[in-house]
Structures are given as C-alpha cells and as structure tokens.
Amino acid sequence: MAKKKFKFLFDSPVVLTICAVSTLVFIFDTFVFKGKAVQVLFSCPMAHGENVFKFSNPLNYLNLLLHVFGSSGAPAFFVNTLLLLAMGPQLEERYGSLMLGLMCGIAVLVTGVLTACLGIQPVMGTMCLVFLMIFLASLTTLSKNSLLASWTAGLVMFTAYSLYSGFQNPAVERVEGVNSFIFFMQRNVVTFISMAGGLCGSLFGFLAAPKKRAAPKKKPLEVEENASDSSYSWKNQVEETVVAEPEKKPKKKKAKSSDDDEVVIGTIEL
C-alpha cells in the first residue's frame, strides 16, 4: 500500500502574507529597534499633533499603506492576528485572493487618508482589516434575508474591546472643560476611523459576491418537442438493436417421374 505524502498548503496567500509581515515587524521592532521602526515607517501621521502628515514628505505617502504592518502593542497584535487567521482563509476562498487583496488595500488606504485628514492619533495595525472581515462574514447572508447572530455578536464584542482599549490609551490627555463623552470620542478616533475603513473595503465585497442564477424555465412547446424527440430516438434505438431474421427462400419442388408416362418411338411389324 502506497504511503500518502504529507503536504503543507499555503491556502491563504493574502492573509498569511499580511500576518507574516506584521509578525516580523513586531519582532524586530520590539527586540531590535525598540519601537522606533513603527513610529517612523509603520504608522500613519495624523492631522493634528506632533507627527503631522506633510504633503512634501514622500515617506508620509508610504505610511498611508504601510501602517497596517505596525502594531500599538502586544495585546492588539495578538488579538488582531488571531482574528485574521480565523476568518481570513474562508473569506479568501469565497471571494478569491485578488478580490480580497483589493478590498484590504482599499480599507487600509481609506483608514490612512482619514487619519491624515481628521485623526488626532497615529493609526497602526490591522484593526481595519478585522472590521472588514467581520463585516463581510456577517453581512454576506443578507441576500438570503437572514443575519448570523454569531458574527453580529463578534462585531459587538470586538468593537467593545477596541473602544475599551482606546479609552485606556493615555496618548490623548483630557482638557479642562471637556465632558466625558467628548473625551471618550477623542480617545477612540482610531477605532472609528478603522471601522470606517473596513466598511468602505467591504462594499466591494457586496458588489462582487457570487450570485446563484436560476435555470430558465422551458416553455410547454419545448417540453413536448423534447419529449417527442426523445421517444423518437428511443424507438430508433430499439429498432436498430433488433436483429432481423433472414428470409427463408421457398424450396423448389423436384419433379417426380411417373411410370405411367410412356413415349412411343415407333412400331415394328412381323
């Protein structure tokens, strides 16, 4: 009996590539560069603050896309990477690597542009991609007039986790005279921007969702014609399969000679 070969399948190129690059950036930035690589290259500048987006700096345009490979800390990195690996392969199999890569690029770009125009904190990490995949996974059943409760609960829980983590971030200091709601919104600008980026990327998924087409119904005349054709062909096949018996030729009767028949040749006189 032949032994089966063990195969290691690279089943999800887009998701695995993003997670692999993010992991390498996290490792090198944590143990080698001590957080400087993320601040310079893998974070998007904001509209107000110290690190402001400058149109004259070519590096800031790269930051609009490269910020997805950074991370604000170990908890955010591990949670986002785990969710991407859990949801990404199924969605990539459904939409294809090219379409999912396009949606991810749009989500990252929209998140970077909104941060450069409206943000008060630098954005980094794959939060926008997690929102993108949650939207795709929970809303793909809308065409069937149904909504999955499990994915809806996942969206609520991840949003709550992101809002809580953003509120605990001390990057935005509270200004005197600002109420608690405004302060809460200011600290969670990154979460709302990432959610908007994921929603914009998921719109292309709704347009490219595979649709099942119903088979066209046949008219009654076509059905009758097909039935008559099928019966006619069946009869022909039956007739062809029947072996015709060879015709028996009538046997010729042999003429019997009769003793009564006499031929007179002549007479002899004595």
Side-chain angles (χ1 to χ4, degrees):
M1 183 176 180
K3 295 182 179 179
K4 295 183 179 180
K5 295 182 179 180
F6 181 79
K7 296 181 180 180
F8 184 77
L9 300 177
F10 196 69
D11 57 338
S12 183
V14 174
V15 176
L16 291 176
T17 301
I18 294 174
C19 294
V21 176
S22 301
T23 303
L24 292 177
V25 171
F26 174 76
I27 293 174
F28 281 98
D29 185 70
T30 302
F31 298 102
V32 179
F33 300 104
K34 305 299 181 181
K36 295 181 180 180
V38 171
Q39 293 179 359
V40 175
L41 189 59
F42 299 104
S43 63
C44 183
M46 47 194 172
H48 307 283
E50 297 179 358
N51 188 14
V52 181
F53 184 87
K54 297 179 181 179
F55 293 94
S56 59
N57 189 0
L59 184 60
N60 291 155
Y61 294 96
L62 292 177
N63 296 138
L64 295 177
L65 294 174
L66 294 180
H67 69 85
V68 70
F69 300 118
S71 59
S72 57
F77 165 75
F78 285 109
V79 171
N80 294 341
T81 304
L82 178 62
L83 291 175
L84 286 180
L85 293 175
M87 297 182 294
Q90 296 179 356
L91 294 174
E92 189 167 350
E93 182 180 0
R94 176 181 175 84
Y95 293 98
S97 299
L98 181 61
M99 183 56 63
L100 184 64
L102 179 61
M103 288 187 288
C104 291
I106 292 172
V108 172
L109 182 61
V110 171
T111 303
V113 171
L114 291 177
T115 302
C117 297
L118 304 173
I120 58 176
Q121 300 179 43
V123 66
M124 62 193 75
T126 57
M127 185 188 300
C128 60
L129 300 184
V130 175
F131 276 115
L132 164 68
M133 294 186 180
I134 292 178
F135 288 144
L136 288 177
S138 59
L139 299 179
T140 47
T141 56
L142 284 180
S143 59
K144 301 179 182 179
N145 297 326
S146 61
L147 185 63
L148 297 179
S150 58
W151 292 111
T152 305
L155 174 62
V156 173
M157 293 299 296
F158 183 74
T159 304
Y161 164 78
S162 301
L163 293 175
Y164 177 79
S165 301
F167 186 73
Q168 298 296 323
N169 186 10
V172 179
E173 298 180 358
R174 186 166 187 172
V175 182
E176 295 182 1
V178 177
N179 56 25
S180 301
F181 178 75
I182 299 298
F183 179 62
F184 176 80
M185 296 295 290
Q186 288 178 348
R187 280 201 167 182
N188 287 282
V189 170
V190 174
T191 301
F192 294 117
I193 289 177
S194 300
M195 188 182 299
L199 182 61
C200 292
S202 63
L203 294 177
F204 287 86
F206 303 147
L207 298 176
K211 299 179 181 179
K212 295 182 179 179
R213 297 181 179 179
K217 296 182 179 179
K218 295 183 179 180
K219 297 180 180 180
L221 295 177
E222 295 180 357
V223 174
E224 293 178 359
E225 291 178 358
N226 294 336
S228 61
D229 294 341
S230 60
S231 61
Y232 178 75
S233 60
W234 178 78
K235 290 180 180 179
N236 291 340
Q237 291 178 0
V238 172
E239 292 177 357
E240 290 177 358
T241 53
V242 174
V243 180
E245 296 182 358
E247 296 181 357
K248 295 182 179 180
K249 295 181 180 181
K251 296 181 179 180
K252 294 181 180 180
K253 296 181 179 180
K254 296 181 179 180
K256 296 181 179 180
S257 60
S258 177
D259 296 338
D260 299 336
D261 295 338
E262 295 179 354
V263 180
V264 179
I265 298 173
T267 59
I268 300 174
E269 293 181 359
L270 295 175

